[in-house]
Amino acid sequence: MLKVLLPGAALAGALFASTGFAAAERAVPLPAAKIDVPATTATQTAVFAGGCFWGMEAVFERVKGVKTVTAGYAGGSRATATYDQVSTERTGHAEAIRVTYDPRVVSYATLLRVYFSIAHDPTELNRQGPDSGPSYRSAIFPQDARQAAVARAYIAQLGAAKSFPKPIVTRIEQGGFFPAEDYHQRFYDRNPMHPYIVRWDKSKVAAFKAGFPALAR
């Protein structure tokens, strides 16, 4: 979302005048990953960063097998994990989501495929759509060594296949995840007519459903 909020009509006008990848109406066709994290009977967790967490959360909430999605901050310290501080672009945090999922229904590599295909643009460096700054960076925060290996391998696979017209800039990072303020949670569903949601995220959710019909719910 825009860090500097404009009043009423000015905000709507600024957002609808903007252009960018997030307004795309189709998912990027990507191959399935060659390696994956083995399925277990226990719920697993994934953490992804890729621009404003409102749209990221909205996409992953609609993936079959996903149990919960939490908007938050990753990459910095607990003490600076607040929206006002992260907005200064000096905390090291990225806006991120924590996804808990049933690996018997959806695998980690499948979540990565959604992440790279439609949840964000992995070729944008420190920005997504109208938002710029390191808190909007493309980054994966593996929760264990197996996730890290699968993420690195998939990035290499997509790079070798030249799946995108520009290099992938997604970083593999370490760091804790800290939930964002309550008003950021399920923002898409609770604010369907918010100008930012209408301009940038509704088409993203529609593109996910169209590009992954067997995976969407």
Side-chain angles (χ1 to χ4, degrees), residues 144-159:
D144 56 36
R146 292 178 300 179
Q147 286 189 1
V150 170
R152 289 192 177 93
Y154 196 45
I155 290 173
Q157 179 183 339
L158 296 180

Side-chain angles (χ1 to χ4, degrees), residues 2 50 64 70 92 189 195 198:
L2 294 181
K64 291 178 181 177
T70 304
D189 293 323
V198 173

Side-chain angles (χ1 to χ4, degrees), residues 21 24 26-30 116-117 120-124 158-169:
F21 178 87
R26 59 186 291 273
V28 177
L30 298 178
F116 283 108
S117 173
H120 83 307
D121 181 353
T123 71
E124 290 269 32
L158 296 180
K162 300 189 183 303
S163 297
F164 295 93
K166 297 187 294 183
I168 293 173
V169 297

Side-chain angles (χ1 to χ4, degrees), residues 83-187:
Y83 181 71
D84 287 344
Q85 293 181 90
V86 173
S87 295
T88 68
E89 303 296 346
R90 296 194 296 269
T91 66
H93 278 296
E95 290 195 14
I97 58 168
R98 181 177 62 199
V99 181
T100 61
Y101 63 98
D102 183 344
R104 296 169 299 179
V105 179
V106 61
S107 71
Y108 183 70
T110 299
L111 294 178
L112 285 176
R113 192 178 183 190
V114 172
Y115 170 74
F116 283 108
S117 173
I118 191 58
H120 83 307
D121 181 353
T123 71
E124 290 269 32
L125 182 62
N126 292 335
R127 68 171 300 115
Q128 288 290 314
D131 305 315
S132 63
S135 68
Y136 296 109
R137 66 188 181 271
S138 174
I140 298 170
F141 293 81
Q143 300 302 289
D144 56 36
R146 292 178 300 179
Q147 286 189 1
V150 170
R152 289 192 177 93
Y154 196 45
I155 290 173
Q157 179 183 339
L158 296 180
K162 300 189 183 303
S163 297
F164 295 93
K166 297 187 294 183
I168 293 173
V169 297
T170 306
R171 295 164 50 176
I172 306 297
E173 299 188 32
Q174 295 181 334
F177 175 89
F178 308 98
E181 296 82 351
D182 288 346
Y183 69 89
H184 285 302
Q185 308 302 330
R186 300 188 67 251
F187 193 91

